[in-house]
């Protein structure tokens, strides 16, 4: 009985376990079935794709679409691969929408192509030219349209308007649908008014007033008379430049610890104007202490180096003098064969004494060579026109001084609105790549001019010129000028690099007719042609040779004119050879503030023709700044002409006055026939004049462009070869003349205007005076 009971108990337990296992298996089966039904992708995971079908494409080949799909025929379908395929197709930017699905064993890829841009237009713009806006947009005709690129283009154009001071500008892109999946893209622009600068304030300045610091920076407060200036518009880049200008200004005046703490531009609530605030920390004024130069380079002479030191002990610290001294020492080392010399200023501050000790250390730097010169941005100008201005070539030793000169040479061409020369790492540590990035500007001009002067009265003219013909640097110009006193027509052709060398070659054609009735009772006519050829003698000097053949005629002589004028009536032929020697040691060829230049001209007439003479003229100018605002300039010019076997013809005499020595009329000084009714001027054989001029601030805003100066002119003119027995009325006193006065020069929106007020101090009774001279003109 006991065994039977145990058996029954065991059998029951087995039955319970069996039912439990069956139940678990059943639940697992149901779960698997449920999962399978609820996740069709899993059910299709093993589906093998037999083909890839592309639908919706119009321009783009189906095979191109298939190349971006990662699921190929014969592969099993995978959601992960499908997702990656979609991402790759969207990344091409070719499609606006993409879907991918299975149809049986075929993978169907449906695409909606982005349209092609037919035209890009701008509406409502006037402050910024359409060509400038075109440079900012990526989307161009025949480019695929995408919304992302449109938004990017709008952002760049808005930034362009903000840099021009228009912070309220808005741009709304409009898309016009066209057949064949093309669109016109139109940017509707609302420029809004310029956001002006209401005020510029300074915090922390004690030594210099707000007004003085406003003159230092390039940004200015808005005013009614600045309608042609952009300096009163907010520009973040200009504000950064102003920080540097302030830093330089203070460092040049001894404030070695100066810093600009902040420069903040606050926009007014109505978005109409900015209020700019500079916060500065001036620090203390330092003096130069001990100054010396140290070098271990054998060829450099210690005494010669010390002579180049511009800072002097005891003087106020000036960072500009330090920079100039570095350039001078670097150049001096380079001339002695140390092309890799490095000049490093070692500064030691003695704060308690407010003194800066300065040591210039010259060492042999690492040797670096120019590996390559890359020129970019010149779509019109040939590379060689730019390369010939470089003072270094591939393979040359790198020299910072020559690099700076190269940049100045390229700027001096005036072919480009922007020139940036950079030094970049080369393929090895001892190699460098020079980058020349330029932005071309218009070099041709057609100008119509009109003006008035006390000399020529009303003047009108037309001039056509091209300074970079065919992108080769050739210069062409032709001009026609007509006034009551003079008519002129001329043509000039110049090749500044004749035969691809640093030579100048040119051709001149000209014709003129001038009324000298007021001065000497005759009219003059001149026609001819000439050739020019020049070459450099050194870095700063050039020699220009020339030949000219000219037909001259004196006609319409007044019956009551001087006997000397009547004797000169008729025609002459002049065959002239000559040369100019020019040396330029100025710091700037356009607006010099220091240095000097010298010009010597000599002409010989007699190689054919009917006239024989030799003439010499010299001009020397010197510029010296007394301070940042006061500039002195000195000028000395003189000349002498001598006949060779014959008297010098009337036309080749010197007629001076007007601009030469202010206070006198043109031809108003020198020998004169006082017995003729008009008191005819007959010219002089020699002259020498000097000018001293001081330019100074006039208290007017600099943006007006009005410059003032006081001057003193003086000199001698005279000598004549007229026989007193034949021409008894001619008086000739080689006597001094002098005058003083004030000049005003205004670079007005309508053209240059010049006013000269002069008072004569020394003269002769027969001289013709002119206390006021006015001239003006414009181009349109």
């Amino acid at each position: 009985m006991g065994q039977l009971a145990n058996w029954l108990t065991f059998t029951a337990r087995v039955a319970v376990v069996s039912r439990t296992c069956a139940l678990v298996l059943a639940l697992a089966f149901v779960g698997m079935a449920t999962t399978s039904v609820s996740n069709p992708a899993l059910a299709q995971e093993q589906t093998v794709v037999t083909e890839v079908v592309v639908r919706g494409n119009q321009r783009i080949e189906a095979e191109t679409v298939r190349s971006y799909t990662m699921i190929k025929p014969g592969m099993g379908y995978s959601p992960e691969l499908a997702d990656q395929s979609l991402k790759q197709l969207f990344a091409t930017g070719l499609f606006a929408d993409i879907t991918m699905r299975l149809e049986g064993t075929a993978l169907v890829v449906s695409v909606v192509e982005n349209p092609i841009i037919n035209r890009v237009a701008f509406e409502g713009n006037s402050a910024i030219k359409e060509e400038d806006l075109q440079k900012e947009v990526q989307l161009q005709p025949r480019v695929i349209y995408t919304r992302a690129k449109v938004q990017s283009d709008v952002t760049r154009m808005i930034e362009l308007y903000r840099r021009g001071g228009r912070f309220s500008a808005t741009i709304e892109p409009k898309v016009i649908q066209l057949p064949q999946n093309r669109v016109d893209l139109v940017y509707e622009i609302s420029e809004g008014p310029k956001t002006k600068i209401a005020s510029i304030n300074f915090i922390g300045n004690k030594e210099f007033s707000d007004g003085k610091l406003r003159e230092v920076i390039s940004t200015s407060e808005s005013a009614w008379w600045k309608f042609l200036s952009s300096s009163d518009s907010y520009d973040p880049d200009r504000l950064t430049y102003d920080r540097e200008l302030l830093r330089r200004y203070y460092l040049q005046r001894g404030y070695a610890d100066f810093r600009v703490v902040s420069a903040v531009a606050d926009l007014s609530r109505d978005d109409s104007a900015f209020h700019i605030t500079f916060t500065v920390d001036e620090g203390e004024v330092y003096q130069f202490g001990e100054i010396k130069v140290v070098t271990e380079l054998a060829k450099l002479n210690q005494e010669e180096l010390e002579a180049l030191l511009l800072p002097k002990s005891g003087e106020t610290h000036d960072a500009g003098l330090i920079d100039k001294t570095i350039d001078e020492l670097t150049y001096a080392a380079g001339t002695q064969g140390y092309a890799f010399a490095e000049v490093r200023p070692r500064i030691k501050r003695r704060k308690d004494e407010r003194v800066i000790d300065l040591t210039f250390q010259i060492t042999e730097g690492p040797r670096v060579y120019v590996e390559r010169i890359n020129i970019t941005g010149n779509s019109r100008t040939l590379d060689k026109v730019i390369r010939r201005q470089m003072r270094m070539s591939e393979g040359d030793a790198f020299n910072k001084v020559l690099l700076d000169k190269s940049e100045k040479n390229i700027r001096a061409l005036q072919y480009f609105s922007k020139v940036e020369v950079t030094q970049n790492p080369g393929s090895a540590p001892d190699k460098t790549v020079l980058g020349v990035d330029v932005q071309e500007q218009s070099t041709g001009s057609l100008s119509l001019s009109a003006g008035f002067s006390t000399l020529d009265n009303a003047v009108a003219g037309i001039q056509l010129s091209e300074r970079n013909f065919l992108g080769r640097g050739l210069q062409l110009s032709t001009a026609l000028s007509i006034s009551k006193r003079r008519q002129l027509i001329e043509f000039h052709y110049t090749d500044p690099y004749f035969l691809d060398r640093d030579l100048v070659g040119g051709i001149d054609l000209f014709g003129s007719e001038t009324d000298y009735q007021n001065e000497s009772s005759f009219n003059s006519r001149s026609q001819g042609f000439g050739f020019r050829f020049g070459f450099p003698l050194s870095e700063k000097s050039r020699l220009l040779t020339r030949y000219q053949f000219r037909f001259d005629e004196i006609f319409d002589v007044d019956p009551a004119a001087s006997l000397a004028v009547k004797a000169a009536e008729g025609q002459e032929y002049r065959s002239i050879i000559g040369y100019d020697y020019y040396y330029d040691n100025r710091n700037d060829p356009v607006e010099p503030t220091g240095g000097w230049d010298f010009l010597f001209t000599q002409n010989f007439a007699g190689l054919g023709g009917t006239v024989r003479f030799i003439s010499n003229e010299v001009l020397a100018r010197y510029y010296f700044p007394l301070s940042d605002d006061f500039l002195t300039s000195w000028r000395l010019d003189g000349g002498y002409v001598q006949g060779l076997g014959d008297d010098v013809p009337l036309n080749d005499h010197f007629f001076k006055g007007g601009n030469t020595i202010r206070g006198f009329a043109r031809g108003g000084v020198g020998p004169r026939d006082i017995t003729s009714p008009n008191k005819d001027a007959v010219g002089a054989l020699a002259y020498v004049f000097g000018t001293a001029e001081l330019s100074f601030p006039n208290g007017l805003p600099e943006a007006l462009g009005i410059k003032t100066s006081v001057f003193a002119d003086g000199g001698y003119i005279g000598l004549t070869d007229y026989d007193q027995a034949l021409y008894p009325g001619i008086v000739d006193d080689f006597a001094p003349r002098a005058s003083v006065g004030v000049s005003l020069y205004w670079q007005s929106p309508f053209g240059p205007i010049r006013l000269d007020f002069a008072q004569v101090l020394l003269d002769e009774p027969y001289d013709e005076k002119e206390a006021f001279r006015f001239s003006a003109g414009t181009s349109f």
Side-chain angles (χ1 to χ4, degrees):
M1 290 296 290
Q3 292 180 347
L4 179 59
N6 291 336
W7 171 255
L8 291 175
T9 300
F10 173 76
T11 303
R13 290 176 177 175
V14 170
V16 171
V17 172
S18 299
R19 286 195 298 272
T20 301
C21 291
L23 180 60
V24 171
L25 291 172
L27 290 173
F29 177 77
V30 171
M32 291 176 61
T34 304
T35 302
S36 177
V37 172
S38 63
N39 192 350
L42 187 59
Q44 296 173 351
E45 188 174 3
Q46 300 301 321
T47 301
V48 176
V49 175
T50 58
E51 62 176 329
V52 178
V53 180
V54 180
R55 295 176 183 171
N57 58 310
Q58 299 178 22
R59 303 182 311 274
I60 301 167
E61 297 290 337
E63 195 57 39
T64 301
V65 178
R66 293 189 185 100
S67 67
Y68 284 98
T69 59
M70 302 187 68
I71 303 175
K72 308 297 182 183
M75 296 175 58
Y77 177 84
S78 166
E80 292 78 7
L81 292 178
D83 182 62
Q84 293 181 26
S85 300
L86 288 172
K87 290 179 179 178
Q88 288 193 158
L89 286 167
F90 273 115
T92 63
L94 300 173
F95 308 103
D97 190 25
I98 308 167
T99 60
M100 191 175 292
R101 67 181 183 278
L102 279 174
E103 290 185 3
T105 58
L107 177 63
V108 179
V109 182
S110 300
V111 298
V112 178
E113 295 179 351
N114 276 323
I116 291 290
I117 295 177
N118 176 66
R119 181 174 65 95
V120 178
F122 304 89
E123 295 181 357
N125 60 300
S126 60
I128 299 180
K129 297 179 181 179
E130 184 170 325
E131 51 263 33
D132 294 329
L133 292 172
Q134 287 280 7
K135 296 176 183 177
E136 296 297 322
V137 298
Q138 301 179 51
L139 293 176
Q140 302 290 341
R142 297 181 297 278
V143 173
I144 296 173
Y145 168 89
T146 66
R147 292 182 180 179
K149 289 184 178 180
V150 170
Q151 292 303 319
S152 177
D153 290 345
V154 169
T155 300
R156 278 195 298 275
M157 286 189 288
I158 289 291
E159 181 63 23
L160 187 63
Y161 272 102
R162 289 190 172 185
R163 291 185 181 278
R166 298 180 184 273
F167 278 75
S168 59
T170 59
I171 301 176
E172 185 177 356
K174 298 286 187 179
V175 178
I176 302 173
Q177 300 291 339
L178 300 175
Q180 300 178 353
N181 200 25
R182 296 177 300 121
V183 295
D184 283 346
L185 179 59
V186 180
Y187 293 100
E188 294 184 354
I189 302 172
S190 175
E191 295 182 326
K194 267 195 172 185
T195 308
K196 298 295 185 178
I197 296 177
S199 65
I200 301 176
N201 302 305
F202 296 86
I203 298 175
N205 55 310
K206 299 176 183 178
E207 182 64 25
F208 302 102
S209 65
D210 285 15
K212 181 59 181 178
L213 295 182
R214 289 190 193 104
E215 295 177 1
V216 173
I217 62 177
S218 60
T219 306
S220 62
E221 294 179 345
S222 300
W224 65 268
W225 41 265
K226 296 180 181 178
F227 59 94
L228 291 177
S229 173
S230 62
S231 64
D232 60 341
S233 298
Y234 173 68
D235 186 342
D237 289 341
R238 187 186 291 126
L239 207 62
T240 301
Y241 178 58
D242 288 340
R243 295 172 65 116
E244 178 62 19
L245 290 178
L246 287 171
R247 190 186 72 86
R248 291 180 186 176
Y249 183 78
Y250 271 91
L251 290 180
Q252 290 174 356
R253 285 156 180 80
Y255 294 86
D257 296 329
F258 172 82
R259 64 191 182 96
V260 179
V261 179
S262 65
V264 179
D266 294 319
L267 188 60
S268 60
R269 292 184 178 181
D270 59 358
D271 294 343
S272 62
F274 275 98
H275 299 271
I276 297 177
T277 303
F278 291 93
T279 303
V280 301
D281 181 7
E282 292 183 331
E284 302 292 341
V285 177
Y286 283 77
Q287 308 293 327
F288 282 121
E290 182 183 2
I291 301 174
K292 58 183 179 180
V293 58
V294 177
T295 181
E296 297 178 355
L297 304 182
K299 294 182 181 179
L300 300 183
N301 184 285
Q302 185 73 24
E303 294 182 357
E304 293 179 356
L305 295 177
E306 291 176 353
L308 297 175
L309 297 179
L310 299 178
K312 305 299 180 184
S313 296
E315 293 182 352
T316 302
H317 174 268
D318 186 345
L321 294 179
I322 297 176
D323 294 336
K324 291 179 181 178
T325 301
I326 292 174
D327 290 340
E328 291 289 340
L329 293 175
T330 302
Y331 183 78
T335 59
Q336 296 297 321
Y338 296 102
F340 309 99
E342 290 185 351
V343 180
R344 296 181 180 179
R346 305 296 185 184
I347 296 175
K348 181 181 178 181
R349 278 184 173 86
R350 289 185 272 162
K351 291 189 175 182
D352 295 340
E353 304 175 44
R354 297 177 187 172
V355 169
I356 291 180
D357 295 329
L358 189 59
T359 301
F360 292 94
Q361 186 174 7
I362 307 177
T363 59
E364 180 74 21
R367 294 182 174 272
V368 179
Y369 297 90
V370 178
E371 178 181 14
R372 192 169 62 256
I373 299 177
N374 294 330
I375 300 175
T376 58
N378 56 319
S379 57
R380 177 169 174 264
T381 305
L382 300 182
D383 274 13
K384 70 175 184 179
V385 174
I386 300 174
R387 287 182 180 275
R388 65 195 184 193
Q389 300 300 325
M390 297 291 294
R391 289 295 173 260
M392 290 179 289
S393 302
E394 283 90 346
D396 288 351
F398 174 78
N399 188 302
K400 183 64 169 60
V401 175
L402 295 181
L403 184 68
D404 293 341
K405 286 185 177 181
S406 299
E407 184 171 350
K408 290 180 181 179
N409 290 345
I410 298 173
R411 292 182 188 277
L413 292 174
Q414 297 184 355
Y415 300 162
F416 313 105
S417 59
K418 184 190 77 171
V419 178
E420 185 176 359
V421 180
T422 57
Q423 179 188 0
N424 306 300
S427 60
D430 63 342
K431 295 181 180 179
T432 184
V433 175
L434 302 182
V436 182
D437 185 30
V438 299
Q439 183 174 322
E440 293 191 302
Q441 63 182 2
S442 175
T443 56
S445 65
L446 171 63
S447 63
L448 305 174
S449 60
F452 176 83
S453 73
T454 51
L455 175 63
D456 294 328
N457 295 326
V459 181
I462 180 173
Q463 181 176 15
L464 176 65
S465 64
E466 171 56 60
R467 292 181 287 108
N468 188 17
F469 185 61
L470 300 178
R472 298 177 178 272
L474 305 176
Q475 301 169 12
L476 295 176
S477 70
T478 181
L480 172 66
S481 177
I482 300 174
S483 70
K484 181 179 179 180
R485 181 176 178 275
R486 191 184 193 201
Q487 297 81 48
L488 170 70
I489 184 170
E490 57 186 1
F491 170 81
H492 303 283
Y493 166 82
T494 303
D495 185 351
Y497 271 79
F498 186 56
L499 301 177
D500 284 331
R501 297 179 180 272
D502 193 7
L503 306 172
V504 175
I507 301 174
D508 304 302
L509 302 173
F510 57 88
S512 67
E513 186 171 313
T514 307
D515 183 346
Y516 289 106
Q517 294 292 338
N518 289 337
E519 297 93 346
S520 303
S521 303
F522 70 88
N523 290 345
S524 174
R525 182 181 295 121
S526 181
Q527 301 168 357
F529 63 90
F531 305 97
R532 289 171 284 118
F533 179 77
F535 51 90
L537 298 177
S538 67
E539 184 72 22
K540 297 182 179 181
S541 62
R542 298 188 69 89
L543 185 70
L544 178 68
T545 61
R546 61 182 171 273
Y547 172 78
Q548 187 181 91
F549 185 84
R550 200 171 75 218
F551 162 77
D552 293 325
E553 180 182 11
I554 291 179
F555 64 101
D556 284 350
V557 175
D558 191 289
S562 166
L563 294 176
V565 175
K566 290 182 177 180
E569 186 175 13
Q571 301 176 355
E572 299 279 5
Y573 294 90
R574 287 168 171 79
S575 178
I576 303 173
I577 60 173
Y579 67 90
D580 294 336
Y581 170 77
Y582 182 61
Y583 190 93
D584 189 356
N585 195 41
R586 298 174 296 171
N587 60 356
D588 188 281
V590 181
E591 294 185 358
T593 58
W596 57 275
D597 64 345
F598 173 82
L599 173 65
F600 177 75
T601 299
Q602 190 171 59
N603 290 312
F604 167 74
L607 192 66
T610 59
V611 175
R612 293 172 57 82
F613 67 84
I614 184 170
S615 69
N616 308 275
E617 290 188 84
V618 63
L619 168 66
R621 294 175 293 188
Y622 177 72
Y623 303 88
F624 180 76
L626 298 178
S627 67
D628 290 342
D629 299 323
F630 292 85
L631 172 68
T632 62
S633 60
W634 308 78
R635 173 188 173 115
L636 178 67
D637 59 325
Y640 178 74
V641 58
Q642 180 179 356
L644 300 176
D646 297 316
D647 292 342
V648 178
L650 179 68
N651 261 0
D652 300 303
H653 286 191
F654 296 118
F655 291 83
K656 296 298 179 179
N659 291 329
T660 308
I661 177 167
R662 285 160 285 191
F664 297 89
R666 186 187 185 280
V669 291
R672 186 177 297 274
D673 190 339
I674 59 175
T675 61
S676 63
N678 194 39
K679 295 184 178 180
D680 296 330
V682 295
L685 299 181
Y687 73 92
V688 57
F689 288 111
T691 295
E693 192 158 356
L694 172 66
S695 301
F696 59 91
N698 49 33
L700 298 174
E702 189 175 345
L704 286 178
I706 298 178
K707 299 180 180 180
T708 55
S709 64
V710 292
F711 64 84
D713 294 344
Y716 292 80
I717 183 169
L719 301 186
T720 177
D721 51 9
Y722 291 111
D723 190 337
Q724 286 292 320
L726 298 177
Y727 308 102
I730 295 179
V731 292
D732 172 26
D733 296 302
F734 198 72
R737 273 84 165 179
S739 65
V740 294
V742 178
S743 288
L744 299 177
Y745 179 81
W746 180 28
Q747 186 61 48
S748 75
F750 316 103
I753 295 176
R754 185 181 181 93
L755 305 175
D756 291 317
F757 303 88
Q759 175 64 46
V760 174
L761 301 180
L762 294 174
D763 67 314
E764 292 299 309
Y766 50 83
D767 289 338
E768 296 288 338
K769 301 178 184 178
E770 182 182 71
F772 170 71
R773 176 175 288 268
F774 166 80
S775 62
T778 187
S779 295
F780 51 88

